[in-house]
Amino acid sequence: MKKAPQKPYPWYYRPLEWMLTGLAHLPLSVLYVVADGFYLVMAYGLRYRKRVVLTNLRNSFPEKTEAQIQHLAKDFYRHFAELLVEILKLGDISAAELKQRVHMPNPEVLEKLLAKGGPVLALGSHAGNWEWIITAGAVWLGPRADGVYKPLANPFFEDFVYRLRTQTGARLVPMRDTLRHLVRHRNEGRVLSMLSDQSPSRADQQYWTQFLHQETAFYTGADKLAAQFHCPVVYVSIRRQRRGYYEMRLVELYDGETSLPKDGHQITEAFARQLERDIQAAPADYLWSHRRWKHKMVKW
């Protein structure tokens, strides 16, 4: 794994690092047995964020019965447990295996936009296995793959997760440096990926739209960056095909040439519609434990 920018962390994290590194070297078939244990602990022992999960599911799928919601919650916990070991496996997975496990059926969508010679924004979400997006993208694109991330407060986990995310060659860009990064690389054919389904707290960063039967706030960064840098935007759909195998399909949201209204949100709206379709197609594969709707729209 690549070394992250070093921040000292206490010695007592070393045994945890050795344990996690050792687990990463196990075959995925064995790690999925570990995931079965994680599932039981989260779903029935700790009941990890159970209230948040059930509330999110009930509000997002009002047409489902309570029995269906409970079943869907269990499916989510099983997916989440498998996701954890898949992320851990990044510490030892080869580029060849990752390319086998993440199939990109239409890379020509990205190649066409990269040929224009400037940056391309790739908008992902917390659906499927989002941690494999940037790592698999680096396998497909080589050194042209960058990812925006929010550094973790804990120095050990910041170091460990950074190495997981960059072991296939991807470069990480701290969220605060996004604008500076685009200015520096504005004439280079590079892909900058962002997870765009976070919950923005500042009013000047919010775009509200109906999403999964709820008024939902989205970050407006993609609209602003695309308008400022005239960079194309693609939506990255990562769908699980079967255990440990995903399809990463690209959808062009903006060509980088059409005029955009200064304060418009057509890119964010298009992103929300694509994501909504993906979630409805595979509802258990979204991150329902995330407090996606913690902010409410203020109506005057």
Side-chain angles (χ1 to χ4, degrees):
M1 292 189 290
K2 282 193 174 184
K3 261 323 232 189
Q6 273 287 291
K7 290 182 180 179
Y9 51 84
W11 63 268
Y12 49 77
Y13 281 107
R14 290 297 179 189
L16 177 59
E17 180 179 16
W18 298 332
M19 183 189 73
L20 294 177
T21 302
L23 285 172
H25 283 78
L26 295 174
L28 264 174
S29 57
V30 177
L31 285 174
Y32 284 132
V33 176
V34 176
D36 291 339
F38 285 169
Y39 160 70
L40 293 173
V41 170
M42 286 192 294
Y44 298 101
L46 297 176
R47 294 171 61 85
Y48 175 69
R49 292 197 173 187
K50 194 68 175 280
R51 183 179 297 179
V52 174
V53 170
L54 291 175
T55 299
N56 284 343
L57 288 171
R58 288 169 184 146
N59 291 340
S60 299
F61 301 100
E63 74 283 0
K64 292 188 182 295
T65 66
E66 184 59 22
Q68 289 174 318
I69 292 295
Q70 294 288 340
H71 183 76
L72 193 51
K74 291 178 182 177
D75 286 346
F76 158 71
Y77 280 117
R78 191 173 297 279
H79 162 70
F80 189 51
E82 293 178 0
L83 175 69
L84 291 177
V85 299
E86 288 173 0
I87 293 171
L88 182 59
K89 185 60 184 174
L90 284 173
D92 184 55
I93 200 167
S94 68
E97 183 179 358
L98 194 57
K99 196 169 184 177
Q100 261 190 337
R101 291 183 173 276
V102 182
H103 173 56
M104 187 188 294
N106 59 341
E108 67 278 359
V109 172
L110 206 49
E111 293 296 344
K112 177 192 71 173
L113 299 174
L114 285 169
K116 297 181 180 184
V120 176
L121 297 181
L123 307 185
S125 69
H126 290 90
N129 186 332
W130 59 89
E131 290 291 351
W132 280 14
I133 291 178
I134 181 63
T135 49
V139 172
W140 286 91
L141 298 167
R144 297 179 295 172
D146 305 318
V148 175
Y149 83 112
K150 184 177 182 180
L152 302 175
N154 182 290
F156 165 72
F157 285 105
E158 163 64 6
D159 179 82
F160 189 78
V161 173
Y162 186 100
R163 285 182 281 155
L164 291 181
R165 289 170 169 169
T166 57
Q167 67 95 12
T168 58
R171 296 198 312 179
L172 296 184
V173 180
M175 189 181 296
R176 64 180 180 275
D177 294 337
T178 303
L179 187 61
R180 187 180 300 112
H181 176 85
L182 284 172
V183 170
R184 186 181 302 126
H185 301 286
R186 66 187 310 158
N187 297 317
E188 299 177 27
R190 306 184 64 84
V191 177
L192 181 64
S193 65
M194 304 186 294
L195 294 180
S196 299
D197 61 335
Q198 303 282 5
S199 185
S201 56
R202 286 174 43 186
D204 62 335
Q205 296 176 333
Q206 295 172 341
Y207 167 67
W208 290 89
T209 187
Q210 191 72 218
F211 176 74
L212 294 174
H213 304 282
Q214 301 161 82
E215 289 292 338
T216 306
F218 285 85
Y219 273 107
T220 59
D223 291 292
K224 294 175 181 176
L225 293 172
Q228 183 173 352
F229 293 95
H230 303 286
C231 49
V233 183
V234 297
Y235 170 76
V236 183
S237 168
I238 182 159
R239 295 266 194 97
R240 182 170 49 159
Q241 303 301 295
R242 64 185 193 277
R243 203 179 213 188
Y245 290 86
Y246 296 86
E247 179 182 88
M248 187 164 67
R249 184 173 292 274
L250 307 171
V251 179
E252 182 181 314
L253 300 183
Y254 173 58
D255 61 8
E257 298 172 356
T258 309
S259 178
L260 287 172
K262 187 175 181 181
D263 297 317
H265 302 101
Q266 68 183 54
I267 294 171
T268 302
E269 177 65 28
F271 168 81
R273 301 285 71 83
Q274 292 287 344
L275 175 57
E276 188 172 53
R277 281 192 284 271
D278 274 358
I279 294 172
Q280 289 168 341
D285 293 353
Y286 192 60
L287 187 62
W288 297 109
S289 56
H290 173 48
R291 294 184 63 206
R292 180 69 184 82
W293 290 276
K294 62 185 175 182
H295 302 298
K296 300 301 179 183
M297 186 177 185
V298 178
K299 297 182 178 180
W300 300 94

